[in-house]
Amino acid sequence: MALTPAEYEARRRRLEADAEDARKALNAARRRYETICDELAALRRAQNQAGQ
């Protein structure tokens, strides 16, 4: 499928924008995952200390 230069540029811009949005979403998900893991570890530590 051959693209005209204008079609190519439009598609490239859309894909670059989509890639940037996906990168931001991935980073946000990683931060959220790390926060949840930290909270879970703290909860487990608290439970272990209470059981001693």
Side-chain angles (χ1 to χ4, degrees):
M1 168 174 107
L3 299 174
T4 66
E7 290 170 330
Y8 169 83
E9 283 301 314
R11 183 163 182 184
R12 184 187 59 77
R13 283 192 304 273
R14 279 194 307 274
L15 287 172
E16 285 179 352
D18 288 349
E20 180 63 14
D21 290 346
R23 184 189 67 78
K24 289 177 183 178
L26 178 59
N27 288 337
R30 282 184 178 139
R31 285 190 304 272
R32 180 66 181 134
Y33 174 76
E34 290 172 4
T35 298
I36 290 169
C37 288
D38 290 346
E39 290 175 6
L40 184 57
L43 181 65
R44 288 178 179 151
R45 281 191 301 273
Q47 181 64 21
N48 288 338
Q49 290 174 354
Q52 291 178 352

